[in-house]
């Protein structure tokens, strides 16, 4: 969508990332719940140092969403869109950026997890973008996978 600019996240974006994360309606976790999982503003610098891919979607001059990918785990670890910007292509743009980056890092199959509740909109979103549920459920999360579309059966 025109107007969306995806850029690498900077250390100064940590506040915007946590603000977006705290505003989402589905898969909402409080600051305390995030901290229990080791997800704190102080962790952000370590993620940068560890080579995580992190992006911010800017739309209309505001941070509209973010994505975080972990290449060593071939995982899209987080993708969240501020509720004020839903339905404007922000999630799709972030997803495409993270997927392309993970595949460029040499990941052949990438994965993500999302809440297992079938009412979560994330299921339809990921399936619409070519992700497939593995059926594996762990701690109320379901796993999705996607294979690098540029690989053929002859590449193995």
């Amino acid at each position: 969508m025109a107007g969306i600019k995806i850029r690498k996240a900077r250390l100064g974006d940590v506040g915007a990332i946590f603000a977006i994360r705290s505003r989402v309606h589905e898969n909402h976790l409080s600051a305390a719940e995030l901290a229990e999982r080791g997800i704190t503003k102080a962790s952000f610098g370590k993620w940068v140092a560890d080579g995580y891919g992190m992006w911010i979607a800017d739309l209309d001059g505001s941070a509209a969403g973010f994505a975080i990918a972990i290449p060593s785990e071939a995982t899209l670890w987080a993708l969240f869109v501020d509720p004020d910007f839903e339905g404007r292509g922000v999630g799709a743009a972030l997803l495409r950026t993270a997927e392309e980056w993970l595949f460029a890092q040499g990941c052949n199959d990438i994965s993500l997890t999302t809440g297992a509740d079938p009412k979560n909109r994330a299921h339809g979103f990921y399936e619409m973008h070519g992700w497939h549920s593995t059926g594996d459920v762990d701690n109320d999360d379901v796993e999705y996978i996607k294979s690098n579309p540029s690989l053929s059966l002859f590449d193995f």
Side-chain angles (χ1 to χ4, degrees):
M1 168 178 237
I4 299 173
K5 293 181 178 58
I6 306 295
R7 63 171 175 79
K8 285 208 164 250
R10 302 180 288 261
L11 288 176
D13 293 319
V14 68
I17 287 171
F18 276 82
I20 293 166
R21 184 66 181 89
S22 70
R23 290 178 36 83
V24 299
H25 302 294
E26 292 182 355
N27 195 16
H28 181 268
L29 295 173
S30 69
E33 291 169 318
L34 289 169
E36 286 173 10
R37 297 173 182 211
I39 303 168
T40 64
K41 290 180 180 181
S43 304
F44 194 81
K46 181 179 181 327
W47 301 337
V48 171
D50 287 348
Y52 288 21
M54 296 185 286
W55 303 271
I56 293 284
D58 285 320
L59 182 60
D60 300 334
S62 298
F66 72 93
I68 302 174
I70 307 172
S72 62
E73 298 176 15
T75 299
L76 174 59
W77 185 57
L79 191 156
F80 292 95
V81 175
D82 186 297
D84 290 344
F85 295 94
E86 290 178 356
R88 296 173 67 183
V90 173
L94 285 164
L95 181 62
R96 189 171 37 257
T97 299
E99 288 173 353
E100 290 172 0
W101 184 80
L102 283 166
F103 291 138
Q105 303 306 303
C107 302
N108 294 327
D109 294 307
I110 56 178
S111 68
L112 62 85
T113 59
T114 193
D117 184 344
K119 294 177 188 170
N120 285 347
R121 294 173 297 153
H123 299 287
F125 172 77
Y126 291 121
E127 289 168 2
M128 179 176 65
H129 291 283
W131 291 76
H132 304 281
S133 174
T134 65
D136 292 340
V137 178
D138 185 31
N139 294 325
D140 295 324
D141 286 333
V142 64
E143 180 184 47
Y144 279 81
I145 59 167
K146 186 171 187 177
S147 296
N148 188 337
S150 66
L151 294 179
S152 73
L153 292 174
F154 302 106
D155 289 332
F156 295 99

